[in-house]
Amino acid sequence: MAHTTKDKEKLLNRVRRIKGQVSAIEKALDDDHECSQVLQTIAACRGAINGLMAEVMEGHVRYHVIDAKRKPSPEQAEAADELIDIVNRYLK
């Protein structure tokens, strides 16, 4: 089973929140809001998308890059943790 299937509802809830944020961007532009407010809304949306990306990527590393059916070696586990930390820092 893929990790996205296992965490499907949680991921879909995040996507629904992102859809709401994108709608808020559209509404802010349509209603001629100040550019600073539009930029803040875009930044919030970008943060939410980056959070979703980080979560899916972590699952991908843990379930597909490292064999989820076998216990990874300490070196593999450490390398996976390092990669996940780097990706999380990059996406923040």
Side-chain angles (χ1 to χ4, degrees), residues 18 39 59 72 79:
I18 291 166
L39 288 168

Side-chain angles (χ1 to χ4, degrees), residues 50-90:
N50 284 348
L52 175 64
M53 173 70 87
E55 187 169 346
V56 173
M57 191 167 299
E58 179 174 352
H60 182 73
V61 169
R62 295 202 186 279
Y63 291 94
H64 299 292
V65 175
I66 292 183
D67 187 355
K69 295 177 180 139
R70 296 186 328 178
K71 184 171 171 46
S73 71
E75 294 82 13
Q76 289 173 320
E78 183 179 354
D81 289 340
E82 287 173 354
L83 176 60
I84 290 164
D85 286 343
I86 290 167
V87 168
N88 285 332
R89 273 186 256 131
Y90 175 78

Side-chain angles (χ1 to χ4, degrees), residues 3 5-6 8 12-13 16 19 24-26 29-30 33 38-39 42 46-47 59-61 68-69 72-73 75 78 85:
H3 61 94
T5 302
K6 186 179 93 152
K8 182 178 181 175
L12 285 173
N13 286 335
R16 290 179 186 116
K19 281 172 54 175
I25 294 168
E26 180 180 20
L29 291 169
D30 195 39
H33 288 196
V38 174
L39 288 168
I42 292 169
R46 180 177 181 250
H60 182 73
V61 169
K69 295 177 180 139
S73 71
E75 294 82 13
E78 183 179 354
D85 286 343

Side-chain angles (χ1 to χ4, degrees), residues 21 25 35-51 91-92:
Q21 290 174 317
I25 294 168
C35 60
S36 61
Q37 186 176 0
V38 174
L39 288 168
Q40 286 178 330
T41 308
I42 292 169
C45 186
R46 180 177 181 250
I49 288 172
N50 284 348
L91 291 173
K92 290 211 181 225

